[in-house]
């Protein structure tokens, strides 16, 4: 095997020891690969909640956190226009610091947790609830440009 081949092999052998997860702002205490949650959209959860009840899921959406109003919405406009049925209540982990909360508030986030179809947040305003959250991080801090 030539030197380049040996070098490439060495990189591959060392790669598992490197973190493949780039740290983003927010809450993700265990880090590493986000395994154990099914990738679903908020639309799927809202339209067919019983199919996902009590399952670990991974969603993305616009997160707004405030007293009696911790909700992840389909879009930021859903928050602005108080379309609460287009969102899920977020049971914020007690371990989240104020800095982590501030980092994810009013941002698009990725969230991994357990979906509770029969829980509807404060005053029953939402279409479900995310509990047992293990990840709540800023999703894409840089919007993509629209091709011309």
């Amino acid at each position: 095997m030539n030197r380049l081949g040996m070098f490439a092999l060495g990189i591959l052998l060392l790669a598992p020891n490197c973190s493949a997860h780039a740290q983003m702002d927010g809450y993700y205490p265990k880090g590493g690969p986000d395994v154990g949650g099914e990738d679903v959209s908020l639309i799927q959860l809202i339209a067919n909640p019983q199919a996902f009840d009590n399952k670990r899921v991974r969603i993305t959406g616009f997160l707004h956190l405030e007293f009696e109003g911790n909700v992840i919405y389909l879009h930021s406009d859903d928050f602005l226009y108080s379309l609460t049925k287009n969102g899920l209540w977020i049971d914020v982990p007690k371990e989240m610091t104020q800095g982590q909360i501030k980092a994810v508030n009013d941002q698009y986030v990725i969230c991994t947790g357990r979906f509770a179809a029969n829980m509807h947040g404060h005053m029953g305003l939402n279409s479900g609830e995310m509990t047992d959250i293990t990840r709540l991080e800023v999703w894409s801090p840089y919007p993509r440009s629209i091709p011309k």
Side-chain angles (χ1 to χ4, degrees):
M1 189 176 283
N2 64 22
R3 283 185 185 205
L4 183 59
M6 290 296 286
F7 178 74
L9 181 61
I11 295 294
L12 289 173
L13 291 174
L14 292 175
N17 295 325
C18 299
S19 175
H21 173 75
Q23 185 64 39
M24 296 183 285
D25 290 336
Y27 176 80
Y28 194 29
K30 294 190 179 180
D34 188 7
V35 295
E38 181 180 351
D39 286 313
V40 298
S41 74
L42 280 165
I43 294 169
Q44 289 174 287
L45 296 178
I46 293 168
N48 195 8
Q50 294 306 320
F52 299 96
D53 188 35
N54 205 33
K55 292 184 180 177
R56 291 204 60 77
V57 296
R58 185 172 28 260
I59 58 174
T60 56
F62 181 81
L63 180 67
H64 178 75
L65 302 174
E66 68 176 71
F67 179 67
E68 297 179 346
N70 298 331
V71 180
I72 188 167
Y73 294 92
L74 187 58
H75 298 288
S76 59
D77 281 351
D78 295 326
F79 162 68
L80 291 173
Y81 292 99
S82 298
L83 302 176
T84 58
K85 292 298 181 186
N86 287 353
L88 305 177
W89 180 264
I90 294 289
D91 187 15
V92 177
K94 291 175 179 44
E95 302 81 29
M96 275 187 80
T97 66
Q98 287 301 313
Q100 290 169 325
I101 290 170
K102 186 176 179 179
V104 296
N105 191 31
D106 294 331
Q107 301 288 329
Y108 280 89
V109 299
I110 183 166
C111 174
T112 303
R114 187 169 310 283
F115 177 68
N118 296 323
M119 302 297 291
H120 300 285
H122 181 66
M123 297 178 60
L125 294 172
N126 306 115
S127 292
E129 186 171 317
M130 292 293 289
T131 64
D132 301 324
I133 292 172
T134 56
R135 182 179 187 186
L136 196 55
E137 290 186 294
V138 174
W139 177 236
S140 179
Y142 305 104
R144 294 180 181 184
S145 61
I146 298 172
K148 294 180 182 184

